[in-house]
Amino acid sequence: MEYIVTKNEMQAIDAYTIEKVGIPQAVLMERAALAVVQEIERIDRRKGRILIAVEGGNNGGDGLAAARMLSERGYPVDIYYVGAVEHVSEQFELQKNILVQIGQRLRKTIPNRDYAIVVDGIFGVGLSREVTGIHKKAIDNLNQIKGLKIAIDIPSGLDATTGEILGTAFRADYTVTFGLKKLGMFFGAGIDCCGEIICKNIGFPKVAIQSVKPKIYAYEEQDLVKLPKRFNNSNKGSYGKVAVIAGSKNMSGAAFLCSKAAYSTGVGLVKIYTHESNRVVLQSQLPEAVMMTYDDYEGALSCVEDAVKWASVIVVGPGLGVDSTSERMLYELLMNSEVPMVLDADALNILSNNMGMLKTCSVPIVITPHMMEMSRLIGKSVETIAKDRFAIAKKFAKEYEVNLVLKDAKSIVTNGSEQMYMNLAGNNGMSTGGSGDVLAGIIAGMLAGGLPLFEAAQIGTYVHCLAGDKAAEDKGKYSMLASDIIAHLGEVMRDS
């Protein structure tokens, strides 16, 4: 597990490390600079010319220290010092004096040269104001220079908490960040401004992190140990029974993807409840699944009655439709189910017209809206949700007593408590039809395997995206389909 921090949290960790633990700021700066140098050496072994742009704060001090180290290692380095802040930090002044003593020049303009690498050390995570004037011009000029772009800690001009661009921002190919990843790197413009994020340990002690108690965390591959356990002395009944209530007339795809994903995460039995028109295609696509169908209102209610009696987990919504029959099916499920449920897709669209239905349910629920579905559920714009997603998600989960998976480029999972999970895996190739149906099936599979609800939602979301990453490696982000995610689930879970 790793923590993802806001600007204020990172500044508090830094202050605790220096003031309480007693690690000198100069030591942290030298380690930060060394981390940047090591990445540059990894990226460019030909020792091409480097431009390092700095301002008078500690981020600039990191840049000056890196310039010194690179010069000592044989890299030709030019230092562009913007020099437009009234007060420079003590550590910046120290690093500047060291450079003067060894004969390194600081330039007030950008030399008219070609550069293999451009390094941004102008502003750090503490930036909170709009970038204007000479600083805006400097950053814009850096963006125009050809060469690989590397940001120190965070791209200058990017809000470290929100990912908002404050006037302008450096566009990095790589961001070498220190200690912990920053929240703003994963939302808004941060996703594209940061490029590849490389997080380096420069010596922030665990006690400093624990003192701050960061609220956002993510899983790492070692956390796959949380997957449901399998036993030698077992049978198909040992790993749960998932009912998938999905697929309106001639709409079999979502039901298939959800059901196959559930099976692929280790479920013992999957039973599909769907419209009669989908029977033949689903039986041919997924012969392992049991099936019960309906073609009228009474038949649909009979399916619900059977599912409630049969299943250990129920998924409802993928491709279900939003007519009066599907609405009544959802109502009966919420009123009568005695097992955990995963509500997705059309189940959420039905709920958006009557949120009171959600409060009629007494069993644990996971809901999995994407941003537009969340917008319909709470009556707020996607833009409003995006700006305050953590607070909005937490409030919703707490009010309705559900586990919420808010799907986006970086999904979050919350049960209304202070800490919440953020998923860092995944890629833009997963932005394809059916990906959400696969996720619903995976989460159901985790529940059927015996995981607690909140843990199932988190590990299910993580596994879904790890499989998506493997699918992208195999098929490419342009060509991958939702079914390719399912095809790589075994690889992800076997590796655990």
Side-chain angles (χ1 to χ4, degrees):
M1 187 179 77
E2 63 176 315
Y3 288 110
I4 315 300
V5 293
T6 65
K7 169 174 54 186
N8 290 340
E9 287 172 341
M10 190 65 242
Q11 289 177 319
I13 291 168
D14 189 66
Y16 190 99
T17 299
I18 296 165
E19 297 167 11
K20 300 291 185 182
V21 178
I23 297 176
Q25 194 168 49
V27 171
L28 296 175
M29 186 167 285
E30 289 292 305
R31 289 175 176 173
L34 181 59
V36 173
V37 169
Q38 288 171 340
E39 288 306 312
I40 289 175
E41 288 183 316
R42 180 184 65 83
I43 293 165
D44 180 21
R45 297 184 181 277
R46 295 184 179 183
K47 297 191 174 181
R49 181 168 288 276
I50 298 173
L51 174 66
I52 299 182
V54 301
E55 187 48 289
N58 286 340
N59 194 253
D62 295 339
L64 294 183
R68 165 171 44 86
M69 294 177 188
L70 287 165
S71 295
E72 294 293 329
R73 297 179 189 213
Y75 284 84
V77 179
D78 291 333
I79 304 169
Y80 167 45
Y81 174 30
V82 182
V85 295
E86 186 175 349
H87 300 290
V88 302
S89 73
E90 180 181 341
Q91 293 302 316
F92 178 86
E93 193 66 36
L94 174 64
Q95 294 292 343
K96 188 176 79 167
N97 290 337
I98 293 172
L99 285 175
V100 170
Q101 293 301 318
I102 64 174
Q104 185 75 42
R105 178 184 174 190
L106 276 65
R107 302 170 183 270
K108 294 298 292 182
T109 59
I110 299 174
N112 185 21
R113 288 174 169 168
D114 293 331
Y115 292 100
I117 295 177
V118 177
V119 179
D120 161 37
I122 296 177
F123 295 123
V125 298
L127 183 69
S128 58
R129 61 175 176 81
E130 193 88 353
V131 177
T132 59
I134 189 171
H135 292 120
K136 183 178 187 304
K137 184 178 179 180
I139 293 170
D140 290 341
N141 286 341
L142 293 176
N143 284 332
Q144 296 303 313
I145 299 173
K146 292 182 180 179
L148 202 67
K149 308 291 198 306
I150 298 176
I152 297 176
D153 209 14
I154 195 163
S156 291
L158 189 70
D159 188 293
T161 298
T162 67
E164 178 186 0
I165 290 178
L166 301 173
T168 191
F170 185 75
R171 304 277 176 171
D173 298 297
Y174 297 89
T175 295
V176 182
T177 197
F178 310 128
L180 300 101
K181 295 169 186 172
K182 285 70 183 178
L183 194 59
M185 295 174 166
F186 304 103
F187 296 106
I191 297 174
D192 292 315
C193 282
C194 289
E196 181 181 340
I197 299 167
I198 302 159
C199 191
K200 305 290 282 189
N201 179 6
I202 64 168
F204 295 112
K206 289 182 180 179
V207 65
I209 298 169
Q210 292 166 351
S211 72
V212 173
K213 299 179 181 177
K215 293 182 173 58
I216 311 299
Y217 62 92
Y219 281 161
E220 301 172 281
E221 289 201 20
Q222 56 262 37
D223 291 303
L224 290 174
V225 297
K226 298 176 184 290
L227 287 171
K229 305 303 179 188
R230 297 184 74 85
F231 306 95
N232 292 329
N233 184 22
S234 63
N235 56 59
K236 63 187 177 184
S238 304
Y239 303 112
K241 298 185 290 184
V242 172
V244 177
I245 301 175
S248 57
K249 186 175 182 180
N250 297 319
M251 294 291 288
S252 64
F256 164 72
L257 290 169
C258 183
S259 301
K260 187 168 184 179
Y263 259 136
S264 298
T265 54
V267 171
L269 282 170
V270 175
K271 190 170 185 177
I272 305 174
Y273 298 84
T274 189
H275 193 275
E276 172 63 27
S277 62
N278 299 323
R279 176 186 291 275
V280 174
V281 65
L282 285 173
Q283 285 181 329
S284 63
Q285 287 181 317
L286 194 62
E288 298 90 345
V290 187
M291 189 173 299
M292 182 174 177
T293 64
Y294 61 90
D295 59 8
D296 58 20
Y297 184 80
E298 294 302 323
L301 295 185
S302 294
C303 282
V304 169
E305 184 178 355
D306 186 86
V308 167
K309 293 177 180 177
W310 179 84
S312 56
V313 177
I314 297 173
V315 183
V316 56
L320 187 64
V322 291
D323 59 15
S324 58
T325 298
S326 56
E327 183 175 344
R328 182 57 185 267
M329 292 173 77
L330 178 60
Y331 176 77
E332 292 294 332
L333 284 165
L334 291 170
M335 288 292 291
N336 298 301
S337 177
E338 296 181 358
V339 299
M341 292 198 296
V342 180
L343 308 186
D344 184 46
D346 284 331
L348 305 177
N349 293 327
I350 293 169
L351 279 176
S352 67
N353 294 318
N354 185 2
M355 288 299 294
M357 289 173 62
L358 197 53
K359 292 189 174 182
T360 65
C361 188
S362 60
V363 300
I365 288 178
V366 178
I367 71 168
T368 58
H370 55 59
M371 293 290 277
M372 183 56 73
E373 288 166 341
M374 189 67 180
S375 174
R376 289 193 285 266
L377 287 172
I378 66 174
K380 294 183 178 181
S381 70
V382 170
E383 293 75 19
T384 298
I385 297 169
K387 287 180 179 179
D388 200 18
R389 72 185 69 214
F390 291 97
I392 289 172
K394 176 185 170 184
K395 179 181 177 183
F396 182 94
K398 192 170 184 178
E399 179 180 354
Y400 290 98
E401 298 182 338
V402 297
N403 289 262
L404 169 65
V405 180
L406 182 56
K407 298 182 293 191
D408 201 12
K410 300 300 177 188
S411 299
I412 61 176
V413 183
T414 176
N415 60 3
S417 60
E418 280 300 308
Q419 287 196 314
M420 63 182 73
Y421 170 80
M422 186 173 89
N423 183 66
L424 299 186
N427 61 84
N428 57 32
M430 299 177 72
S431 301
T432 186
S435 181
D437 304 318
V438 173
L439 175 61
I442 292 172
I443 293 173
M446 299 298 170
L447 286 168
L451 292 186
L453 211 70
F454 190 39
E455 195 166 300
Q458 294 172 85
I459 199 71
T461 302
Y462 184 51
V463 165
H464 176 248
C465 285
L466 286 180
D469 285 338
K470 290 186 180 294
E473 291 174 11
D474 183 26
K475 294 293 186 71
K477 295 175 184 177
Y478 286 95
S479 299
M480 62 181 284
L481 303 174
S483 55
D484 295 319
I485 300 172
I486 299 174
H488 287 83
L489 283 171
E491 186 179 354
V492 170
M493 298 179 74
R494 181 174 61 245
D495 290 348
S496 68

